Amino acid sequence: MPVKKEPAEMSAFERRRLENIAANKALLTDISATAKKVIPDKPTPKPAAKRKSRSEQIKRESARPTRMSSRLAGLDADNETLKRKMEVEAEFEAAKAQSKKMRIGDDLNLGDIVVDGKKYGSSVDGIKGIFRGAEPGVRTFSEEDIKETTDAGLKDLRLRMSSLKLYEHWAPNDIKITPQRVYALGFHPIEDKPIIFAGDKEGAMGVFDGSQTTPEVDDDDEDADIPDPVISAFKTHARTITSFVFSHTDANSVFTSSYDSSIRKMDLDKGVSTQIFAPQDANVDMPISALDVAPSEPNILYFSTLDGSVGRYDIRAPNSEEIWTLSEQKIGGFSLHPLQPHLLATASLDRTLKIWDLRKISGKGDLRHPALLGEHSSRLSVSHASWSAGGQLATSSYDDTIKIYNFSDAGKWSPGQNIDESALEPAHIIKHNNQTGRWVTILKPQWQQRPKDGIQKFAIGNMNRFVDIFASDGSQLAQLGGDGITAVPAVAHCHPSMDWVAGGNGSGKLCLWT
């Protein structure tokens, strides 16, 4: 008679994996249910014909950073600023050199691709990088600045924004939202609670529910451990995630772009991540540096690339992409005017801010592009160009400035109309240390999209380990910090409508102020 075998005891690793899957599913279900309050479900459409998957087995190549001597580059031996700038440029060239890494073409069931963040150590944990001009913990805007404010309205605004408190239930070092350095961040637009999405340099995505609280622990039990916060992590891209965009018509949809040349759509309700765009030729590498969607055109995706191009893609029409070469060098950031989506602003390694009109596209073949309305040059490369709903345009640059341009009359511009040269001069120039170097993600201004108080404001990381908040007139409103911040929260975002601010750092850790 055969001996009946007892079932083997479940390993700690398997138990942990199943716990992660259950936690991820619970969090996505919770976000999905809450999101439906923002945008109700639409009638179920007729099923579309399933697209054939492409084989995307791409030969891997090792990264070969572009090297150039200081002498050939025309740099003086003591010119540290330009040396650091060239290091950052070399990093982007290295990303392009990894062009043959495999993209993830098929649909991904998020329950099967969980990432246990606790098993990943950050390559920059513990690094005490020294950057020119950075003085960790030293404020450049303080309570004294608020007290000395004579304008009553500005003083009230500064008091309100400066009163935001750092999340109290876990220290920033305990909220490891991604395994590696945070490159992209985004708030889900729901207002019930802060839900933050983050993407890192290796294609992992983390989701944190800011309403979590620490469980009660017996004060008399000195050995009691406080559990880590629940963070859902998924490996959705093969390379760096560069942007999060939340659908304006479907609160369950989140778009992500990546250096792996793809754009994916995550369905929070179904728990599935689907590739919706990649180059038609699987051997073509087109690292995507930024992504944007206009509220009035929710099915049209715009993206920029490290090769200096901007593309447009209609998700309803496969193979509908149109690519325009707008710069000979990398476009690190761009944005559409929220209320005038035909206006597009690009920031480039060629040191320029350029404004384009999508209503007037001319030329043929590789020479086809939108009408260039005007451009403004900076001393060094421009990292990002961000439009506010009020028509202001903020840029950050390696010349250690934030520039704010006032285009509040942009709605009156005729198609292809050149911008007056005087209007292309910055209305406000803010001195700001933007020398991030190799270990800190590039600092970029990000506007609050729909401020309830009607005051246009943006967030940007501060090298002294703060997040700065500025108004459209260049006035600083707050410098957010707190105990336990041990690295620069370089990737900073405001919630679209609530007074919530988040920042991600080079160790994959999250800071949250509410």
Side-chain angles (χ1 to χ4, degrees):
M1 182 175 181
V3 179
K4 183 178 181 181
K5 294 184 179 181
E6 296 294 332
E9 184 178 353
M10 184 180 296
S11 68
F13 176 83
E14 179 65 14
R15 188 182 303 108
R16 176 67 177 174
R17 189 183 74 83
L18 294 177
E19 289 173 355
N20 277 343
I21 291 175
N24 289 336
K25 184 176 181 180
L27 179 58
L28 292 180
T29 300
D30 183 45
I31 297 174
S32 176
T34 308
K36 290 178 180 178
K37 300 177 184 178
V38 182
I39 305 174
D41 286 340
K42 298 179 293 184
T44 304
K46 295 181 179 179
K50 187 175 181 180
R51 293 173 59 184
K52 296 182 179 178
S53 60
R54 295 193 297 267
S55 172
E56 295 177 307
Q57 301 296 325
I58 303 177
K59 180 181 177 183
R60 296 174 182 266
E61 291 183 356
S62 60
R64 296 187 295 274
T66 301
R67 298 180 58 87
M68 182 183 293
S69 71
S70 298
R71 180 182 61 80
L72 292 177
L75 305 181
D76 296 331
D78 59 349
N79 196 332
E80 294 298 325
T81 299
L82 292 182
K83 285 182 180 179
R84 245 184 303 274
K85 171 178 174 287
M86 290 201 64
E87 285 181 352
V88 174
E89 294 175 12
E91 180 180 353
F92 276 96
E93 291 300 320
K96 290 172 60 178
Q98 289 182 324
S99 61
K100 302 304 180 183
K101 276 195 173 183
M102 187 191 306
R103 287 191 292 272
I104 305 171
D106 296 330
D107 290 358
L108 299 174
N109 187 317
L110 300 182
D112 298 332
I113 56 171
V114 294
V115 177
D116 184 356
K118 299 187 72 173
K119 298 187 185 302
Y120 286 80
S122 173
S123 61
V124 294
D125 272 345
I127 290 179
K128 306 297 182 183
I130 299 176
F131 305 99
R132 184 184 65 79
E135 299 178 89
V138 177
R139 288 187 173 272
T140 55
F141 180 81
S142 66
E143 292 182 3
E144 289 301 315
D145 295 291
I146 299 175
K147 290 178 181 178
E148 295 173 2
T149 305
T150 56
D151 183 283
L154 177 58
K155 186 172 185 177
D156 288 344
L157 184 57
R158 283 176 164 174
L159 286 169
R160 176 164 61 86
M161 295 306 298
S162 296
S163 68
L164 299 183
K165 300 298 183 184
L166 188 64
Y167 185 74
E168 62 182 358
H169 299 290
W170 280 276
N173 273 345
D174 294 328
I175 310 176
K176 189 168 177 61
I177 193 167
T178 57
Q180 300 294 332
R181 187 199 318 178
V182 175
Y183 264 74
L185 203 67
F187 271 100
H188 194 285
I190 60 174
E191 299 179 352
D192 299 62
K193 57 184 177 181
I195 301 292
I196 302 99
F197 290 69
D200 76 3
K201 60 182 275 188
E202 293 186 352
M205 179 180 70
V207 186
F208 176 69
D209 180 351
S211 68
Q212 294 181 59
T213 58
T214 49
E216 293 184 3
V217 176
D218 188 351
D219 294 336
D220 296 329
D221 187 356
E222 297 180 356
D223 296 327
D225 291 329
I226 298 177
D228 292 335
V230 176
I231 296 172
S232 296
F234 313 99
K235 178 74 171 177
T236 54
H237 285 278
R239 292 167 61 188
T240 304
I241 295 176
T242 54
S243 291
F244 287 92
V245 171
F246 298 88
S247 171
H248 300 286
T249 57
D250 180 2
N252 277 316
S253 295
V254 183
F255 298 99
T256 55
S257 60
S258 170
Y259 284 170
D260 68 10
S261 306
S262 74
I263 299 173
R264 301 187 71 89
K265 176 183 176 183
M266 178 178 177
D267 189 315
L268 299 175
D269 188 28
K270 297 178 181 178
V272 174
S273 173
T274 302
Q275 179 176 288
I276 59 173
F277 171 77
Q280 296 182 41
D281 183 346
N283 292 307
V284 170
D285 186 58
M286 191 170 62
I288 298 175
S289 58
L291 176 69
D292 203 2
V293 177
S296 59
E297 298 177 320
N299 294 306
I300 309 296
L301 305 180
Y302 291 86
F303 55 90
S304 59
T305 76
L306 297 188
D307 296 323
S309 300
V310 168
R312 177 169 63 184
Y313 180 71
D314 189 334
I315 62 178
R316 298 165 298 185
N319 305 326
S320 64
E321 67 267 26
E322 185 173 9
I323 311 292
W324 310 300
T325 300
L326 303 185
S327 173
E328 294 182 356
Q329 294 180 285
K330 169 182 70 77
I331 294 178
F334 83 101
S335 67
L336 301 168
H337 191 307
L339 302 182
Q340 311 293 333
H342 53 272
L343 296 177
L344 180 148
T346 57
S348 175
L349 194 61
D350 67 7
R351 307 179 181 185
T352 64
L353 158 73
K354 295 179 180 178
I355 301 176
W356 310 83
D357 192 337
L358 298 171
R359 295 174 298 181
K360 188 175 181 181
I361 300 177
S362 57
K364 295 182 179 180
D366 293 340
L367 298 179
R368 181 173 171 79
H369 61 77
L372 177 62
L373 304 186
E375 64 180 273
H376 184 265
S377 298
S378 292
R379 187 172 60 86
L380 295 175
S381 63
V382 186
S383 303
H384 187 49
S386 181
W387 282 103
S388 76
Q392 293 81 24
L393 190 60
T395 65
S396 55
S397 170
Y398 267 88
D399 64 7
D400 284 342
T401 65
I402 300 170
K403 301 181 182 72
I404 303 176
Y405 304 78
N406 185 12
F407 300 120
S408 55
D409 62 345
K412 301 177 182 177
W413 295 348
S414 302
Q417 172 187 337
N418 289 333
I419 301 173
D420 185 81
E421 191 170 330
S422 61
L424 283 166
E425 290 299 317
H428 310 283
I429 299 178
I430 304 166
K431 291 294 182 182
H432 197 267
N433 179 10
N434 297 326
Q435 303 303 315
T436 53
R438 179 175 296 178
W439 304 111
V440 178
T441 304
I442 294 172
L443 306 183
K444 298 181 178 183
Q446 302 287 354
W447 292 93
Q448 187 176 30
Q449 297 172 357
R450 300 180 298 278
K452 287 192 172 183
D453 58 9
I455 298 172
Q456 306 299 328
K457 60 185 82 72
F458 65 84
I460 186 171
N462 181 298
M463 290 300 294
N464 291 1
R465 299 180 183 172
F466 301 100
V467 168
D468 292 328
I469 308 295
F470 292 96
S472 59
D473 64 357
S475 301
Q476 183 152 8
L477 303 181
Q479 191 165 82
L480 304 177
D483 295 336
I485 300 177
T486 59
V488 179
V491 186
H493 276 256
C494 297
H495 183 275
S497 56
M498 305 292 288
D499 286 342
W500 301 334
V501 179
N505 69 28
S507 299
K509 309 293 180 61
L510 178 72
C511 301
L512 171 63
W513 292 268
T514 59

